[in-house]
Amino acid sequence: MCFRPAEVQMKTCPACGATNKPIATACEKCGADLPTVKTDFDADQASLDAAAAPKPPASPAAPQAPSAPGAPKAPGAPTPPRA
């Protein structure tokens, strides 16, 4: 079993820029409301793992089918015999 420590991120006040505790709901310096954004660390890790995974080689493309012959051309007018 693997245990990973909790990831803690300090909150920055959007009004004054002060750093606050992660559990704070209002800025300790100016009293402004702090955003409550929950981060899904498992989803972030899954996207990082997918980006770092080696990509399988591309399969070769199917060969092109031979082209169909063109329509037959009408014969031209006969040339008169030379004397």
Side-chain angles (χ1 to χ4, degrees):
M1 195 180 302
C2 178
F3 291 101
R4 161 173 89 177
E7 296 182 30
V8 178
Q9 195 171 19
M10 300 298 283
K11 289 184 179 179
T12 303
C13 177
C16 69
T19 303
N20 294 276
K21 295 177 184 176
I23 59 170
T25 57
C27 179
E28 295 172 357
K29 185 175 180 182
C30 70
D33 288 333
L34 295 175
T36 54
V37 178
K38 290 189 177 186
T39 304
D40 186 358
F41 293 108
D42 291 331
D44 289 346
Q45 187 63 47
S47 65
L48 291 172
D49 291 344
K55 295 184 172 50
S59 59
Q64 294 287 334
S67 59
K73 297 184 179 186
T79 57
R82 292 188 169 203

